[in-house]
Every structure is written in C-alpha cells, then in structure tokens.
Amino acid sequence: MIELLDVCYVRLGTKDIQTSTDFATRILGLEVSESSRNSRHLRSDERGHTLYYHDGDPNDHVVGFEISSNDDLDSAAATLEAIGNEVYRGTRDECDSRHVRDFISFREPSGLKIELVVRPEVLGKRHFPSRDAGISGFSHVGIFSQDCQRDEQFWTQVCNARVSDRIGDVPLLRVNEIHHTLALVPSQRGGLQHINHQVDSTDDVMRSYHLLKEHNVPIVFGPGRHPTSGARFLYFQGPDGMTFEYSVGVSEVDEETYRERQFGFEPFSLCMWGAKSNLDGLEN
Ligand SMILES: O=C/C=C/C(C(=O)O)=C(/O)C(=O)O
Ligand SMILES: [Fe+2]
C-alpha cells in the first residue's frame, strides 16, 4: 500500500510564462519564491512552493504527493512496477529543482503524471502573498478520469485513499483527515481538472468574486456551497484553460466514526445554494 501523506505541488506547462505568472500573483494571490527565464516557483503557504509554471505544453500536468521516507519510496516503486506501471526515479538535479530529497514518477490509470516525493522543503521565511486573497494554502486537486470506478480502485487499493463521499460515481477521496485531497471527474481525457486553494473566510471568497469579475476572469461555478465537504467555493478560469478554486470550511473526518456517503448525481449535490456548474465534466 502506498501511503500518501498529502498533495504537495502541481507543475504546469504554459505557453506564456509571463501571463501565467501575472495571473498567479495579481489575480490568484500567490508569491513567486524562485524565478528563472523559463520557470516560476510559486508559494501559497509555509511550503517552499506549491505551484510551478514552466515554458512548455499546457497539457503537461504533474501532481506531487508527499510520502514519508526513502524506504516508502522504494516500496512504492516496487508496488507500481508489480502492477505494470513504468516508474522513473528523479535525478539529483530534478530533485534539487523541486526542492525535495527524492522522488519517483509514474502515470495514474487515466494518464496524469504523478510524482511521489520525500521531504519537500518548508521555508522559515514567512509567506508574503502578492495580494490579499486570504489564501491559507494549497489543498486539493480534481483529476479527470476516463473510468471513475477503475481509478477509484487504484487510489483506494494501490494507495491509501479513502472515499469520503460520492456524487453518482464521482468520488471525493481523502488521504488524511481533510475531507478530500483529490476528486475524480469523468472525462474522455486525462489530466488536471482543477486546483484548490483554501482561503480564510467566506468574505475572502466574495471579495475575490468581485475582483475576478472586475478583471473579466471567467467564473466557472459559484459562489456556492458544496453539501459534500460543506465548503463555500468559487471556481474560475486561469491561463491555458486551467480551473482554479477558492474554498473555505472544508470539513475534517474522524476516521473512527465517519461513513462514506452517496449523493445523487444532480445539481444540488454540487451546490446546495443552487449555483449552476460550468465545471468541465460536471456541467448542469
Ligand atoms: O461538485 C462537487 C465538488 C465537491 C467538492 C467539495 O465537496 O468541496 C470539491 O471541492 C471538489 O470536488 O473539488
Ligand atoms: Fe474542489
């Protein structure tokens, strides 16, 4: 069993590094922690970076998950190879550019590249956001799935993910006490469906809603409230068609007493306030 501790970063190719950086700092509210001619490391919390943009194909998405030790990394590689996955071990330079001690990469069943990393760096220097969006940190991702039932089996049987809720066959999966760290969203393609940052309050969600509208950023869903995690949310479109989410109030799960719930595949399962979803794979 591969024991994922948490999601730690997303890496995205972009056609225009400057436009993507401007969005990430002036709109989303992240901090540039490292910059080169063709890449940016961006920070959202105490970690050294949680988002990385680089010149490249905008369909090139990678999600990093932290695992606890090199022994766990070796046994994860053996587990993945035993079920037919090709596993790549990061070179020293690649580890250094990610600020991690070690990592391996592989593709999950719908094709998204996953990196399992050991000892991602946290910075002593206080995080200083580029705008007052109220972000408290990077929290979860949505992943496109060509077969939600098959992919749920991968995340729950090969890895340690547990189902918190399902909307139809769409599972919200946790790897720690947070209600979900990944959601599988039906699609013909693979890749990343959305990137979530938690904010401090509903006021932050609503302040950003008005700021985004003023800057003509397309709103994809919300403001609204998920009956699943209880979070108040707002989804909007960033560069290269990537969807970002702010949310606040995601519930925590007591492993001893929690039982997974089944929600119907209907609009009020997505938003209990009745907002209409234009989310890729979850339109209504
Ligand atoms: O539309 C369903 C989304 C549910 C949630 C939630 O319960 O918070 C998400 O944030 C998500 O799937 O990303
Ligand atoms: Fe989300």
Side-chain angles (χ1 to χ4, degrees), residues 217-231:
V217 174
I219 305 294
V220 177
F221 187 20
R225 183 165 192 189
H226 292 306
T228 38
S229 69

Side-chain angles (χ1 to χ4, degrees), residues 140 167 172 179-180 183 194 221 226 228-229 231 235 245 270 282:
H140 70 251
I167 303 170
L172 303 177
H179 177 274
H180 61 285
H194 79 274
F221 187 20
H226 292 306
T228 38
S229 69
Y235 294 82
E245 177 188 19
L270 304 184
L282 292 172

Side-chain angles (χ1 to χ4, degrees), residues 17 35-40 52-56:
I17 191 82
S35 177
S36 78
R37 197 174 53 80
N38 52 15
S39 70
R40 301 289 185 280
Y52 174 82
Y53 271 119
H54 61 94
D55 273 341

Side-chain angles (χ1 to χ4, degrees), residues 113-239:
K113 194 185 270 189
I114 303 295
E115 294 182 351
L116 301 180
V117 323
V118 177
R119 292 165 58 186
E121 270 177 25
V122 163
L123 297 184
K125 188 176 174 200
R126 185 160 60 166
H127 169 46
F128 187 69
S130 51
R131 87 162 180 91
D132 183 22
I135 288 179
S136 54
F138 169 47
S139 184
H140 70 251
V141 290
I143 294 178
F144 286 123
S145 169
Q146 290 148 3
D147 181 338
C148 286
Q149 290 176 356
R150 175 199 66 191
D151 294 359
E152 180 187 308
Q153 283 199 358
F154 171 80
W155 291 102
T156 57
Q157 291 177 21
V158 179
C159 305
N160 61 335
R162 285 88 70 194
V163 176
S164 290
D165 289 316
R166 285 191 198 87
I167 303 170
D169 284 334
V170 172
L172 303 177
L173 301 165
R174 69 181 184 281
V175 298
N176 51 39
E177 67 286 356
I178 312 285
H179 177 274
H180 61 285
T181 294
L182 65 156
L184 303 181
V185 180
S187 175
Q188 303 294 67
R189 56 184 166 125
L192 207 48
Q193 186 248 7
H194 79 274
I195 299 171
N196 171 281
H197 293 88
Q198 293 292 300
V199 293
D200 286 334
S201 68
T202 307
D203 288 339
D204 292 315
V205 172
M206 294 310 298
R207 261 191 290 270
S208 283
Y209 172 64
H210 293 292
L211 180 135
L212 295 170
K213 285 214 313 187
E214 231 171 78
H215 286 82
N216 298 314
V217 174
I219 305 294
V220 177
F221 187 20
R225 183 165 192 189
H226 292 306
T228 38
S229 69
R232 277 80 68 199
F233 65 81
L234 180 66
Y235 294 82
F236 50 100
Q237 202 175 78

